[in-house]
């Protein structure tokens, strides 16, 4: 959350309550399938970028590349290519990461991605972030913990301590 002050906008974070969520196995498996396949939103992005590229080509073919309209066509083509590249490279990276995991860890990661998709993202005007309370999180160094969950330095120690205390209590 950004709070306005005399120096400009300051980033402020607060720790909320612990919340238990559950994701069923079929939902996690569906999410894993969707993530590994090139479908859904990824396909829509690619279709959108192809349409932008085609529009750019049509503009260039119609008006030529001499005037400002031709430059618009070039920008359309470049924009479409960048959208396509970003979508495909992000998908390939995620797919490679998932395929490197064991089947159990892969389904656990898919369940976490599904949870992040369905859990609330806002509370009034504040963004909500989620930190899993599990062994991997507890073993993280504080600096890694801060980067992984986008925490400001002033709140890292308290959040890390709370996650560790809750993990110890439940295990």
């Amino acid at each position: 959350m950004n709070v306005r002050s005399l120096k400009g906008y300051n980033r402020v974070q607060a720790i909320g309550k612990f919340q238990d969520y559950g994701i069923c196995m079929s939902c996690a498996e569906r999410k894993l399938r969707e993530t590994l396949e090139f479908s859904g939103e990824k396909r829509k992005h690619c279709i959108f970028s192809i349409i932008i590229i085609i529009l750019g080509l049509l503009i260039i073919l119609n008006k030529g590349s001499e005037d400002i309209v031709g430059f618009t066509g070039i920008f359309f083509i470049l924009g479409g290519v960048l959208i396509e590249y970003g979508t495909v490279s992000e998908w390939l990276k995620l797919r490679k990461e998932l395929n490197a995991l064991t089947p159990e860890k892969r389904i656990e990661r898919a369940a976490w991605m599904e949870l992040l998709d369905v859990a609330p993202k806002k509370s009034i005007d504040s963004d909500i972030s989620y930190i899993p309370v599990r062994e991997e999180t507890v073993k993280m160094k504080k600096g890694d913990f801060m980067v992984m969950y986008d925490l400001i330095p002033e709140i890292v120690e308290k959040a890390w301590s709370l996650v560790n205390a809750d993990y110890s209590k439940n295990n």
Side-chain angles (χ1 to χ4, degrees), residues 3 8 12 16 21-22 24 33 42 46 53 64 69 72 77 82 94 116 118 129-130 142-143 147 155 159:
V3 176
V12 176
Y21 282 100
C24 69
R33 258 191 329 275
K42 293 178 286 294
C46 285
I53 291 169
V69 177
T72 305
I77 292 170
L82 289 175
L94 182 57
L116 292 177
V118 299
S129 299
Y130 296 92
K142 290 179 187 167
V147 170
I155 206 160

Side-chain angles (χ1 to χ4, degrees), residues 72-91:
T72 305
I74 292 171
F75 287 128
F76 271 50
I77 292 170
L78 287 175
V81 168
L82 289 175
I83 291 170
E84 185 78 23
Y85 175 76
T87 302
V88 172
S89 63
E90 182 181 316
W91 171 70

Side-chain angles (χ1 to χ4, degrees), residues 114-132:
E114 178 68 12
L115 179 134
L116 292 177
D117 284 350
V118 299
K121 311 232 183 338
K122 288 262 193 200
S123 175
I124 306 171
D125 62 342
S126 301
D127 293 327
I128 299 176
S129 299
Y130 296 92
I131 301 172

Side-chain angles (χ1 to χ4, degrees), residues 31-92:
K31 182 67 173 181
L32 181 60
R33 258 191 329 275
E34 286 176 0
T35 304
L36 292 176
E37 295 171 358
F38 198 78
S39 61
E41 286 297 314
K42 293 178 286 294
R43 186 171 286 170
K44 287 179 188 174
H45 277 267
C46 285
I47 290 170
F48 177 68
S49 64
I50 290 169
I51 290 170
I52 290 175
I53 291 169
I54 291 170
L55 282 173
L57 288 171
L58 290 174
I59 290 170
I60 288 175
L61 291 174
N62 249 356
K63 297 292 182 180
S65 59
E66 299 298 319
D67 57 1
I68 194 78
V69 177
F71 286 120
T72 305
I74 292 171
F75 287 128
F76 271 50
I77 292 170
L78 287 175
V81 168
L82 289 175
I83 291 170
E84 185 78 23
Y85 175 76
T87 302
V88 172
S89 63
E90 182 181 316
W91 171 70
L92 288 172

Side-chain angles (χ1 to χ4, degrees), residues 4 9 12 16 22-23 30-31 42 68 73 78 83 87 93-94 96 100 103-104 106-108 141 143 150 158:
R4 193 170 154 166
Y9 283 94
V12 176
I23 301 293
R30 178 189 46 77
K31 182 67 173 181
K42 293 178 286 294
I68 194 78
L78 287 175
I83 291 170
T87 302
K93 179 183 169 198
L94 182 57
K96 184 178 178 181
E104 296 83 24
R106 196 177 305 147
I107 209 74
E108 183 180 315
K141 294 178 182 170
D150 196 26
K158 185 173 183 182

